[in-house]
Amino acid sequence: MLFKSSRRILNLLSSSSSSQARQVPNLILGRLKHSHIGIVSAAFNKGQRRNGVKDGPTVIKEAGLIKRLQEFDLKVIDYGTVSMEKLERNSSLQLGPDGERHHDAVLAYNRELASLVRKVIQENGLCLTLGGDHSIAIGTINGHAQANPDHQVVVLWVDAHADINTGGSSASGNMHGMPVSHHLRELAKDVNRLPESWPTPCMSGNHIAYIGLRDVEDCEQKFLDDLGILAFSMKEVEKLGIFEVINQCFKHLQPSTDRPLHLSFDIDALDPLEAPSTGTPVRGGLSLREGVSIVEAVRETGFLKAMDLVEVNPELGSEKDVKLTLQATKTILLAALAGRRGAF
Ligand SMILES: NC(=[NH2+])NCCC[C@H](N)C(=O)O
Ligand SMILES: [Mn+2]
Ligand SMILES: [Mn+2]
């Protein structure tokens, strides 16, 4: 009798511990349920002047991202690449009305990208878009909004830069410094669109928050101030600490089932000591641990529906620099999507 019952307890113990061992993060992230993670490769570089950034998606995938995510029982579907080929047949530099470099090409590419992002979300996937330069967030956020016509998408933008220039305010003409302005209703009249008036603005200044800023131009700061946009620069991260900053962002954005969350993560938000291979590095950035804390908190809200990881450029820096940058990138993605810290 005693033997029997202790046997039963042993069985119970072993079955509960084995089910615990299997308790890896499954496909239910908080209260938004996803059937899979859909990966979109946005191999695009016309939003700035360096070629290599279009190879970001390939090197990130070659570094074993999908296999690593699958090790945590996540179902991953590769939706393939939105390529620049069609645009390249007409690759002459064409300026927009306010000097935006490759204006129509950037927008035409993003319109196609937006359709694929919309498809991933409509098929109930959590959409991860690998860039590419940050101009691809014109398409990803638009596609996310298209998939949720009855809901307000809210955006957490993690970056050294505000990327809120318009053609008129930009000193460089590079459209990777302009994606945010394309989505804001308040700036609608300052943004030049395609003849079919794509993209339509899908949010207001109170639907976006920033973390990590440290290289913001005067015109951009004026947009942030005028629109009352919540923005935590590295100075505030330093003063308040990363958890207070994250909490204030979520209090403000109020992600929920009615307010799906879009995370746009520029790898240059991290300090260049952590992620050197990127086109516009700025020293004094987030530690990898702070970056991980941000994306862990994002995941834990349960309302993450789409994420961009942009500006990894494998042609910049030494072999060691590229390796470090890819390790940091994978660390961020593993924490954001699987809720895990660990080695690659
Ligand atoms: N996504 C980026 N890395 N953006 C950098 C933008 C730099 C500068 N503010 C510009 O508009 O040209
Ligand atoms: Mn940046
Ligand atoms: Mn950026």
Side-chain angles (χ1 to χ4, degrees):
M1 193 65 199
L2 200 136
F3 173 71
K4 256 190 178 167
S5 65
S6 58
R7 200 29 206 261
R8 221 179 57 209
I9 288 166
L10 266 179
N11 281 339
L12 278 171
L13 278 176
S14 66
S15 70
S16 78
S17 69
S18 73
S19 78
Q20 272 225 318
R22 263 185 271 114
Q23 220 184 49
V24 287
N26 52 25
L27 300 164
I28 301 159
L29 301 181
R31 275 161 284 177
L32 269 186
K33 295 187 172 76
H34 307 280
S35 57
H36 62 282
I37 291 170
I39 301 188
V40 170
S41 296
F44 189 72
N45 62 15
K46 285 192 186 317
Q48 45 79 69
R49 299 176 200 214
R50 295 171 196 267
N51 279 328
V53 73
K54 72 168 188 317
D55 300 323
T58 308
V59 291
I60 295 168
K61 286 194 283 187
E62 278 174 3
L65 174 71
I66 294 177
K67 197 173 141 264
R68 191 78 170 107
L69 292 173
Q70 286 169 338
E71 281 169 19
F72 295 108
D73 272 6
L74 292 165
K75 183 176 171 200
V76 181
I77 299 177
D78 190 342
Y79 281 74
T81 303
V82 178
S83 83
M84 296 196 303
E85 260 164 44
K86 273 186 258 164
L87 305 167
E88 266 170 355
R89 266 179 247 136
N90 175 14
S91 66
S92 62
L93 171 63
Q94 164 262 356
L95 299 179
D98 290 317
E100 301 92 329
R101 295 169 60 86
H102 299 289
H103 180 264
D104 288 11
V106 170
L107 293 187
Y109 178 87
N110 272 287
R111 195 171 46 173
E112 204 175 315
L113 174 61
S115 306
L116 186 55
V117 169
R118 182 191 58 203
K119 176 175 146 81
V120 174
I121 297 173
Q122 283 175 340
E123 291 178 357
N124 203 23
L126 189 165
C127 185
L128 168 65
T129 304
L130 301 173
D133 71 61
H134 218 163
S135 69
I136 62 114
I138 296 174
T140 59
I141 293 175
N142 183 272
H144 190 172
Q146 281 185 44
N148 289 276
D150 304 326
H151 297 141
Q152 176 61 59
V153 171
V154 292
V155 179
L156 182 62
W157 196 278
V158 183
D159 201 328
H161 309 92
D163 293 346
I164 195 176
N165 270 310
T166 59
S169 74
S170 169
S172 68
N174 295 331
M175 289 191 75
H176 77 156
M178 309 182 195
V180 174
S181 63
H182 285 74
H183 301 300
L184 293 176
R185 293 186 194 102
E186 295 92 326
L187 296 179
K189 62 175 189 335
D190 302 317
V191 170
N192 300 307
R193 296 169 205 281
L194 288 176
E196 320 77 282
S197 76
W198 194 90
T200 325
C202 59
M203 65 191 198
S204 306
N206 60 343
H207 299 130
I208 183 167
Y210 288 96
I211 303 178
L213 302 182
R214 56 193 184 278
D215 185 16
V216 177
E217 294 165 63
D218 291 347
C219 291
E220 293 186 292
Q221 189 61 53
K222 189 165 166 10
F223 287 142
L224 298 179
D225 294 342
D226 290 352
L227 303 185
I229 293 178
L230 187 69
F232 294 101
S233 70
M234 286 313 298
K235 185 174 170 183
E236 280 88 41
V237 172
E238 192 74 32
K239 269 200 209 160
L240 303 172
I242 196 67
F243 287 105
E244 177 62 20
V245 163
I246 296 167
N247 285 338
Q248 287 195 29
C249 285
F250 290 149
K251 233 169 125 184
H252 181 75
L253 294 174
Q254 302 268 325
S256 70
T257 38
D258 294 329
R259 289 164 76 92
L261 183 58
H262 189 110
L263 171 64
S264 205
F265 198 106
D266 185 329
I267 201 67
D268 72 29
L270 299 183
D271 194 280
L273 292 170
E274 307 271 20
S277 296
T278 188
T280 50
V282 190
R283 295 189 68 177
L286 297 171
S287 66
L288 181 56
R289 283 158 55 182
E290 287 168 327
V292 166
S293 295
I294 294 169
V295 301
E296 281 174 348
V298 162
R299 180 177 182 281
E300 283 159 16
T301 65
F303 300 115
L304 179 63
K305 235 180 179 173
M307 174 174 183
D308 318 321
L309 193 301
V310 299
E311 298 283 353
V312 172
N313 185 334
E315 277 182 7
L316 299 178
S318 64
E319 216 172 287
K320 185 172 164 239
D321 290 339
V322 175
K323 199 171 160 201
L324 266 180
T325 308
L326 285 172
Q327 282 172 346
T329 301
K330 288 185 293 177
T331 300
I332 292 293
L333 292 174
L334 185 68
L337 301 171
R340 293 301 179 104
R341 299 191 183 201
F344 270 98

